[in-house]
Amino acid sequence: MRLIVAFVSTLLAAFWEPVKYTWRHLLIWLQKMITAADIKFALKHKQTLFALQRVALPGLKDIPGPVALPIFGTRWIYNKYFGRYTITKIHEAYQSMFKEYGQVIKEEAFFNYPVISTCSAQDIEKLIKFPSKFPLRPPNGIVSKYRQNTPGRYNDGGLTNEQGKAWHRLRESTTHDMVNTRVIQNLIADVNDMAIDYIAGINKLRDPDTGRVQDIIELNRKLGFESTCLLGLGCRVGFLEDELNPRVKRLSQATNCLFEALNEANYNLPLWRYFPNSTYKKLAKAEEDLYELACEYLEPALQRIEESYEPEAAQTVLIGILKRSDLDDKDKKSSIVDFVSSGMNTIGNTLSLLLYLIAKNPDAQTKLYEEINNLLEPDEPISAKYLNSARYLKACVQEYFRILPTAPQIARIVESEMVLSGYQVPEWSVVLCHTSAACKNENYFHQADKFIPERWIASEVEANPDLKVQYPFLVSPFGFQRRICPGKKFTEQMLHIFLATVVRQFEVRCEKDLELEFKFLLAPAGQLTIDFKERI
């Protein structure tokens, strides 16, 4: 009886798809027939136990989600003519689907390849804690194809797209200095200089009577470009100057086109796989421009190495890569191009969203200003000592990462079969961890829709236990495990310095609510008008 029940149950689960709702009820009835003695017997027979587990848990095909069409999968929901959502509002699409289907949903990419999305803290924790020497993430297919078609410049798909030992080799060879705390702290003086130029840029844009800047986004994007070039190219390139030279303009345009092409490739028909359509051509042009421009900026650094000059602090990361004997010239140049292109738009958008939240929360801004005055003398520059002591400053940035991260989800490929939200997910499945959606869940964070930096300060939590963060790992804007973004330390330090510099100089306010759009990353849509009232 025991073996018959398991055998029949397995057959029904595997082959009776047309009447799956009927067999599900039948399986429940069959399971009730299995007594404690049956289970004890099954423990002695691994194959039978495996079958019982299969019966007990629904599988991939049972995960709810939008209706899938043959070949097109569920991508039709993003079609601009008859779809339910648009590719520039992907973040809203997932909010809607999680509300409709629950914490785990299944979409199907083209040719019906399943893609699972989860905003369950328990699921995300499983994926984070899964032991893996070389964590897997889905590559950007269009970038990989372009680089395969350009062997004269690239040996591989780059740090973002490579997997296994090839990824590990690039990671170890190219990011050593970038994740070194001492190296990043040595850049504080350079970032302070940029902050002074940024304040000067704000003053040029401010209305002399009201202090209003009609749109701060463009200046923030320039600052993001400048800071990324400082880290990746080892020099200032002039993005914060009044008049941009043609080379700098070309670099900006190439970065914008790259992110637009990536977003189109992810959610439109993948015609680029079969012939060079407009999306592929846009990406190819952007990649070519970025590569050529990066090489132009590399020449002075190469000359410096040949002349054996002592490198400046800003050149440490760049020269560290260029001196690697285990990398050839193609690897070195492509790695630098990747660092620059990936950080440019990200940092600018991040600063805009952070300033918006601070401007919208005057109480938090007042506490931050008080902390700055307590820790710094009026003309004292920001230092590593201050940054180490600035608890509320760090809490403000961490709370921003919880509420409005530019990367709202993290992609992984599961390396073994696992159970997510009660569903058996097979090995090699693609799973999107929607950490941003999870961070807005009241079950995970007290007053989840409120900007409360105090939740990240131990003494404040002691006074108000409701603020205690139960799932801190959900705030993962840079990814997790060994594939965490190597630019994390630099980006955090830069945000701390710029936020402290702005709040020290101005009282910032924002009247209008911010609209967001998705262009491979989350970004402000339209203008961001902020009032900068100079402090007395």
Side-chain angles (χ1 to χ4, degrees):
M1 178 62 184
R2 307 170 184 86
L3 294 175
I4 292 174
V5 169
F7 179 73
V8 172
S9 301
T10 304
L11 283 178
L12 287 170
F15 302 111
W16 206 350
E17 176 65 17
V19 288
K20 60 181 178 181
Y21 297 106
T22 303
W23 67 250
R24 191 178 296 165
H25 287 86
L26 181 59
L27 294 180
I28 294 172
W29 176 78
L30 286 169
Q31 290 171 47
K32 288 180 179 179
M33 294 176 60
I34 303 175
T35 64
D38 294 326
I39 295 174
K40 185 176 179 181
F41 178 85
L43 288 171
K44 298 179 181 179
H45 300 80
K46 292 182 180 179
Q47 290 183 344
T48 305
L49 179 59
F50 183 76
L52 293 175
Q53 290 174 335
R54 285 292 192 183
V55 169
L57 292 174
L60 195 64
K61 61 182 178 298
D62 300 301
I63 299 177
V67 174
L69 302 177
I71 300 178
F72 293 97
T74 59
R75 285 295 186 254
W76 66 270
I77 67 175
Y78 303 113
N79 186 276
K80 62 181 178 181
Y81 299 111
F82 54 82
R84 297 165 58 187
Y85 311 110
T86 63
I87 61 173
T88 58
K89 295 291 183 180
I90 294 296
H91 55 294
E92 293 180 2
Y94 280 113
Q95 289 174 5
S96 173
M97 287 190 283
F98 283 130
K99 186 176 181 180
E100 181 177 356
Y101 301 111
Q103 285 194 311
V104 61
I105 60 176
K106 184 187 71 172
E107 296 176 271
E108 291 185 11
F110 292 106
F111 303 106
N112 300 98
Y113 189 88
V115 178
I116 302 158
S117 288
T118 179
C119 63
S120 161
Q122 291 74 25
D123 291 346
I124 295 171
E125 185 173 22
K126 281 184 182 180
L127 289 158
I128 289 176
K129 292 185 176 180
F130 183 84
S132 176
K133 186 176 181 181
F134 308 126
L136 301 175
R137 56 162 288 172
N140 291 321
I142 191 170
V143 174
S144 297
K145 183 174 179 61
Y146 167 76
R147 295 193 174 188
Q148 288 171 4
N149 293 340
T150 321
R153 289 182 173 178
Y154 302 100
N155 289 326
D156 47 47
L159 186 61
T160 302
N161 297 308
E162 285 301 312
Q163 313 290 346
K165 291 183 178 180
W167 163 81
H168 182 70
R169 179 186 68 87
L170 283 175
R171 174 84 181 193
E172 292 295 304
S173 300
T174 61
T175 65
H176 178 268
D177 290 318
M178 197 176 293
V179 299
N180 186 308
T181 301
R182 179 186 57 80
V183 169
I184 299 304
Q185 286 184 344
N186 285 341
L187 297 174
I188 289 177
D190 292 292
V191 178
N192 274 331
D193 288 341
M194 269 195 294
I196 293 172
D197 292 343
Y198 178 64
I199 295 297
I202 291 175
N203 283 325
K204 290 175 183 176
L205 295 174
R206 289 171 66 232
D207 182 282
D209 298 321
T210 64
R212 175 162 295 181
V213 174
Q214 286 296 333
D215 188 11
I216 194 66
I217 291 175
E218 186 59 26
L219 180 61
N220 289 343
R221 289 181 68 252
K222 290 179 179 179
L223 178 64
F225 287 5
E226 187 79 351
S227 59
T228 303
C229 289
L230 175 70
L231 180 67
L233 298 176
C235 62
R236 297 280 301 272
V237 298
F239 273 106
L240 293 176
E241 295 175 2
D242 292 338
E243 294 294 329
L244 300 184
N245 65 58
R247 186 165 62 174
V248 171
K249 286 183 179 179
R250 190 175 160 209
L251 192 60
S252 174
Q253 292 168 354
T255 305
N256 292 335
C257 288
L258 175 66
F259 278 85
E260 287 176 5
L262 290 173
N263 206 40
E264 291 171 10
N266 271 2
Y267 294 100
N268 288 336
L269 280 170
L271 300 178
W272 52 266
R273 293 184 184 276
Y274 311 105
F275 65 90
N277 67 347
S278 59
T279 298
Y280 182 86
K281 291 177 181 177
K282 181 189 292 186
L283 179 129
K285 179 67 167 59
E287 288 269 7
E288 288 168 8
D289 286 347
L290 285 169
Y291 188 93
E292 291 171 3
L293 289 164
C295 288
E296 290 179 20
Y297 284 109
L298 287 177
E299 293 304 321
L302 290 169
Q303 183 178 355
R304 194 177 189 89
I305 292 174
E306 291 174 0
E307 296 174 354
S308 300
Y309 286 157
E310 184 68 26
E312 299 172 5
Q315 294 179 311
T316 304
V317 172
L318 172 65
I319 292 179
I321 294 173
L322 295 178
K323 282 187 173 181
R324 296 289 303 204
S325 59
D326 56 339
L327 297 174
D328 64 16
D329 286 344
K330 288 195 289 186
D331 282 334
K332 292 173 183 177
K333 289 180 179 180
S334 63
S335 296
I336 293 164
V337 169
D338 285 343
F339 291 149
V340 172
S341 61
S342 61
M344 280 186 159
N345 272 359
T346 309
I347 293 178
N349 291 337
T350 296
L351 184 59
S352 292
L353 298 177
L354 174 59
L355 277 180
Y356 169 75
L357 281 179
I358 293 296
K360 278 290 190 180
N361 291 274
D363 291 342
Q365 186 179 158
T366 299
K367 289 184 179 180
L368 176 57
Y369 180 63
E370 290 172 353
E371 181 187 73
I372 294 169
N373 286 338
N374 289 334
L375 295 176
L376 289 175
E377 295 298 326
D379 296 323
E380 183 183 354
I382 290 174
S383 61
K385 180 182 177 181
Y386 162 72
L387 293 176
N388 290 334
S389 304
R391 293 193 306 164
Y392 202 78
L393 173 65
K394 294 177 183 176
C396 285
V397 173
Q398 184 73 356
E399 184 69 347
Y400 151 71
F401 284 142
R402 184 186 69 83
I403 292 180
L404 277 180
T406 55
Q409 71 258 354
I410 301 164
R412 281 292 179 271
I413 298 174
V414 298
E415 299 175 53
S416 67
E417 191 174 56
M418 64 172 58
V419 177
L420 299 178
S421 292
Y423 296 95
Q424 195 83 30
V425 175
E427 184 181 20
W428 311 123
S429 296
V430 173
V431 179
L432 302 181
C433 301
H434 290 260
T435 51
S436 180
C439 284
K440 295 177 176 63
N441 190 328
E442 284 288 337
N443 294 322
Y444 302 151
F445 290 91
H446 179 66
Q447 294 184 308
D449 61 334
K450 304 288 187 184
F451 183 80
I452 308 176
E454 289 78 6
R455 72 175 85 242
W456 302 104
I457 300 175
S459 59
E460 298 285 350
V461 173
E462 287 180 9
N464 186 359
D466 288 341
L467 292 178
K468 185 176 181 180
V469 177
Q470 302 291 340
Y471 304 98
F473 58 83
L474 291 176
V475 184
S476 302
F478 299 96
F480 45 70
Q481 293 179 324
R482 303 183 70 187
R483 292 201 80 131
I484 196 168
C485 173
K488 177 180 183 292
K489 288 184 178 181
F490 175 75
T491 302
E492 288 179 333
Q493 178 175 280
M494 195 217 69
L495 292 175
H496 293 153
I497 291 174
F498 280 103
L499 179 59
T501 302
V502 170
V503 172
R504 192 181 190 184
Q505 185 84 15
F506 301 107
E507 180 183 347
V508 294
R509 292 287 185 269
C510 182
E511 295 178 358
K512 296 181 179 180
D513 290 336
L514 180 67
E515 185 179 352
L516 300 171
E517 63 181 353
F518 191 85
K519 289 186 175 180
F520 197 66
L521 295 169
L522 207 58
Q527 293 186 339
L528 175 56
T529 302
I530 292 183
D531 297 335
F532 293 86
K533 181 181 178 181
E534 192 151 12
R535 297 188 187 274
I536 300 175

